[in-house]
Amino acid sequence: MYDREVEWSIELTEDERIVAVHNTAFGNTKLIVNEEIEITGTSTMIKVIEGRTEEFSVGTIEALDLLK
């Protein structure tokens, strides 16, 4: 979030979910640590269990799969 060329927007939804968006087109899909997560568009989902990132997806179908 500290890149001067990336414009971030962070919001709290009505159901108290945090949504973060930035203006770059492609993100890192092969993350190793949480700091490498890049929110690149709709739909991106991060599954967190007990404070740990369990899964990360980009794309509508992939995000819906995480909701199952």
Side-chain angles (χ1 to χ4, degrees), residues 1-64:
M1 290 188 65
Y2 301 106
D3 186 331
R4 292 176 191 219
E5 295 182 22
V6 178
E7 200 173 305
W8 283 93
S9 169
I10 299 175
E11 301 175 11
L12 184 63
T13 65
E14 288 182 15
D15 57 350
E16 297 186 2
R17 293 179 187 223
I18 297 172
V19 178
V21 178
H22 70 64
N23 63 345
T24 58
F26 303 102
N28 179 4
T29 59
K30 309 245 188 268
L31 358 149
I32 296 173
V33 294
N34 291 344
E35 288 77 14
E36 295 176 339
I37 292 174
E38 297 180 69
I39 308 301
T40 56
T42 306
S43 300
T44 298
M45 183 166 290
I46 304 166
K47 184 175 184 179
V48 178
I49 298 176
E50 294 183 16
R52 298 183 65 178
T53 300
E54 294 293 321
E55 295 182 63
F56 173 77
S57 70
V58 177
T60 303
I61 294 169
E62 295 82 357
L64 288 172

